[in-house]
Amino acid sequence: IGKILAMLPQVSFARFDASAIRIPVWFMTVWTVGSVLVLVWQWFVNFRFEKKLYEEREKLPQDTAAYPVYIASSCAFKIHGEKAIYVGRKAANDLEVFQTVIKHETSHLDSGDLFFGKVRMLLTAVFFFSPIAWLAAVLSKRDCEMACDERTINRMGIAKE
């Protein structure tokens, strides 16, 4: 084996010298300030939405869902460490729509979409200057919704046409 290895061409790897990279201080300052501002803005928007949900929600006496169910805007959200499902008033009044929304939002909670939403927020804050990062976040959110729709359809046993 040694003779075979000796016959192979020798590959040399260039060494990377990190000290050769000089990033201007002004660039690092703009990038850091921009990232912090975007992250603070995202946190503020999320906090405001969380506060609105918390203040306006009404608990539904519901024992068939895996998570607490409240009447508010239809979404899955975590408030004060509690994952919960929020259903719009119109959806709460229609049993078929209500059950569909519960299954859809449960799918979000079960698949860890709240975590991936936070990851999207962090990545768009770090790469705020890149339109590709924002596009990727939008497409990721769309994929997330479509995957939950598909899981909901499968849970409900609806045949695909």
Side-chain angles (χ1 to χ4, degrees):
I1 293 181
K3 290 181 182 181
I4 295 172
L5 290 176
M7 293 184 340
L8 293 175
Q10 296 296 320
V11 178
S12 64
F13 294 98
R15 292 183 177 246
F16 179 73
D17 183 14
S19 66
I21 297 176
R22 305 263 187 244
I23 299 174
V25 173
W26 65 266
F27 179 81
M28 289 301 293
T29 304
V30 168
W31 177 72
T32 302
V33 169
S35 291
V36 168
L37 287 175
V38 170
L39 200 56
V40 167
W41 171 73
Q42 290 173 337
W43 177 83
F44 172 75
V45 170
N46 247 357
F47 179 74
R48 190 176 60 190
F49 182 64
E50 177 182 325
K51 184 177 181 222
K52 182 179 184 246
L53 276 180
Y54 187 74
E55 290 172 352
E56 296 177 3
R57 70 185 183 173
E58 298 173 33
K59 180 114 169 104
L60 283 176
Q62 214 314 66
D63 62 345
T64 59
Y67 300 95
V69 178
Y70 298 94
I71 292 179
S73 176
S74 291
C75 65
F77 213 78
K78 187 175 182 179
I79 298 178
H80 303 301
E82 176 191 47
K83 291 180 181 178
I85 296 171
Y86 297 86
V87 179
R89 192 166 300 283
K90 286 183 182 178
N93 293 330
D94 182 342
L95 184 61
E96 186 177 348
V97 173
F98 177 77
Q99 290 174 340
T100 304
V101 170
I102 293 293
K103 287 178 180 154
H104 177 87
E105 300 305 337
T106 299
S107 181
H108 278 298
L109 293 172
D110 290 346
S111 61
D113 290 343
L114 297 178
F115 170 75
F116 290 112
K118 299 293 184 201
V119 170
R120 272 193 301 272
M121 284 175 52
L122 181 63
L123 290 174
T124 53
V126 171
F127 298 104
F128 72 94
F129 52 86
S130 172
I132 293 172
W134 291 97
L135 177 64
V138 168
L139 294 176
S140 169
K141 178 66 176 158
R142 187 182 306 164
D143 286 347
C144 171
E145 286 299 325
M146 289 173 58
C148 282
D149 289 344
E150 185 174 347
R151 283 191 294 274
T152 302
I153 288 169
N154 290 339
R155 282 184 180 172
M156 295 176 73
I158 299 171
K160 295 178 187 175
E161 295 181 16

